[in-house]
Amino acid sequence: MSSENPYLPMLVVIDSIFIENEARDLKTFRLVFRDKKDKKRFKHECGQFAMISVPGAGESPIGIASSPLDTGYIEFTVKRYPEGVVTTALHGLEEGALLGVRGPYGNSFPMQEMEGKNIVIVGGGFAMTTLRATVKYMLDEQNRSRFEKITVIYGARSPGELLYKSELKEWEGRSDIDAYITVDRGDESWKGREGFVPAVLREAAPGSDNAYVLVCGPPIMLKFTMLPLLELGFGNDRIITSLERRMSCGIGKCGRCGVGSKYVCKDGPVFSYKRISELSEKMM
Ligand SMILES: Cc1cc2nc3c(=O)[nH]c(=O)nc-3n(C[C@H](O)[C@H](O)[C@H](O)COP(=O)(O)OP(=O)(O)OC[C@H]3O[C@@H](n4cnc5c(N)ncnc54)[C@H](O)[C@@H]3O)c2cc1C
Ligand code: FES
């Protein structure tokens, strides 16, 4: 993190931009630190986010999409909202442009608790970003043996909206991970699976014994994924998600992202469903 002034961003340069979808409103930005000291200082964990600032436009919290083991750069996948000031400005930039980064912030997925367990990853749409970081981390040579069976279920509305397409192909081809990639509706070129994520989850039926599930996606997907997870026997303390709230400071000072007595930026964004139920009960 930045030393004295916590609001002072570190300078990064856009090294590469990957266009993720046909509509060109989802791009992955690979950023490199301008200062070597910042590069050394920025050590993130799976599930954390950073505040990305675009000069003249403002700042936004964005999940870190690269693995903690990717050295030399950090990646963020950003959806552009037509009305969105920061995301539109960011999408208008080209390689070589300067940005600011503060962070990493927030808690992380419980990677240590997850060691020796079966891991199920359930992702929907462009909420796959920090889950992608986590899959990459677990599949790394030095980490794969620390986790038992890994099952990934990832879906998007259409084939063009799937993120990280070349990595998905690679995951499907590996024997040490079960990857179920699905789209709500295919097109002429799509030879893969069709179906909503909750239905594919039922079909895959990953065992809940000695298992954790990390689930991130649009609210409708999350809602319909809970029932099959509970039916499969996952306890709500083993179902982990990441919350999104409007943020300003990102460091627990301004109160913008409060959920009950907690701040999503500081106490989250990662919460178990058990914790979320407790917080919602307190708010009633
Ligand atoms: C912890 C955390 C992690 C996040 N990770 C990512 C990520 O990895 N990738 C990513 O693209 N975004 C992510 N977000 C969401 C991202 O922060 C917002 O989309 C972004 O701040 C919007 O900024 P803006 O200035 O473009 O939009 P604003 O100017 O703030 O908003 C203008 C309008 O844009 C639309 N809009 C903005 N944000 C959203 C939204 N999230 N959902 C629906 N409509 C919206 C609304 O119509 C809104 O009124 C994350 C948020 C949090 C809290
Ligand atoms: S964004 Fe300021 S307290 Fe969370």
Side-chain angles (χ1 to χ4, degrees):
M1 259 187 257
S2 279
S3 48
E4 300 85 20
N5 180 350
Y7 298 101
L8 200 63
M10 293 171 264
L11 281 181
V12 290
V13 179
I14 302 180
D15 177 73
S16 335
I17 300 175
F18 307 92
I19 294 165
E20 298 282 355
N21 66 341
E22 291 146 359
R24 303 173 75 87
D25 61 0
L26 281 163
K27 291 182 185 175
T28 296
F29 296 85
R30 179 172 290 180
L31 311 177
V32 293
F33 288 96
R34 259 226 332 209
D35 186 329
K36 278 196 189 122
K37 271 190 269 151
D38 291 336
K39 181 178 153 189
K40 259 190 151 168
R41 208 158 45 189
F42 192 97
K43 295 220 178 316
H44 77 279
E45 292 172 34
C46 299
Q48 286 192 295
F49 69 95
M51 299 297 288
I52 303 291
S53 48
V54 183
E59 269 191 322
S60 276
I62 305 288
I64 306 170
S66 46
S67 158
L69 297 172
D70 291 332
T71 49
Y73 63 86
I74 45 173
E75 286 180 343
F76 299 88
T77 302
V78 181
K79 163 130 176 119
R80 181 181 91 85
Y81 291 99
E83 313 282 308
V85 179
V86 176
T87 57
T88 297
L90 180 58
H91 271 244
L93 296 177
E94 293 184 357
E95 289 166 3
L98 271 184
L99 296 174
V101 169
R102 289 195 287 128
Y105 292 139
N107 64 355
S108 57
F109 293 126
M111 302 311 292
Q112 279 186 344
E113 276 175 48
M114 283 161 44
E115 278 190 30
K117 310 278 191 309
N118 297 313
I119 308 299
V120 184
I121 303 279
V122 183
F126 77 95
M128 190 64 192
T129 57
T130 53
L131 293 181
R132 177 256 195 156
T134 309
V135 174
K136 281 187 79 177
Y137 177 80
M138 291 190 298
L139 290 182
D140 190 274
E141 245 173 48
Q142 59 178 281
N143 283 335
R144 181 62 192 89
S145 60
R146 293 166 56 201
F147 304 92
E148 293 297 318
K149 187 174 176 192
I150 299 176
T151 307
V152 174
I153 298 164
Y154 172 45
R157 272 187 298 195
S158 66
E161 282 171 274
L162 288 167
L163 299 179
Y164 317 124
K165 293 178 188 59
S166 58
E167 280 168 26
L168 300 181
K169 270 216 171 74
E170 189 209 313
W171 297 350
E172 284 183 308
R174 285 178 70 130
S175 56
D176 60 349
I177 167 174
D178 282 343
Y180 296 79
I181 309 304
T182 184
V183 295
D184 296 354
R185 191 175 306 162
D187 55 22
E188 329 63 65
S189 63
W190 179 249
K191 306 267 183 296
R193 187 176 275 104
E194 276 185 278
F196 295 112
V197 165
V200 176
L201 173 64
R202 278 183 204 279
E203 181 198 324
S208 56
D209 276 355
N210 193 38
Y212 269 88
V213 54
L214 308 184
V215 50
C216 296
I220 186 84
M221 185 206 95
L222 295 178
K223 182 174 166 205
F224 287 104
T225 301
M226 274 311 280
L227 186 62
L229 285 177
L230 295 173
E231 282 171 3
L232 286 165
F234 286 92
N236 64 1
D237 57 333
R238 293 289 181 99
I239 305 176
I240 314 287
T241 193
S242 182
L243 293 183
E244 272 195 21
R245 285 290 179 281
R246 289 272 170 169
M247 288 183 183
S248 182
C249 69
I251 52 175
K253 302 277 186 214
C254 71
R256 181 112 197 250
C257 66
V259 179
S261 57
K262 300 289 172 196
Y263 294 130
V264 172
C265 66
K266 195 162 142 271
D267 305 300
V270 172
F271 293 93
S272 68
Y273 268 83
K274 181 164 187 270
R275 195 77 193 101
I276 292 173
S277 324
E278 289 164 358
L279 289 172
S280 347
E281 269 167 30
K282 280 192 192 146
M283 284 167 75
M284 304 254 218

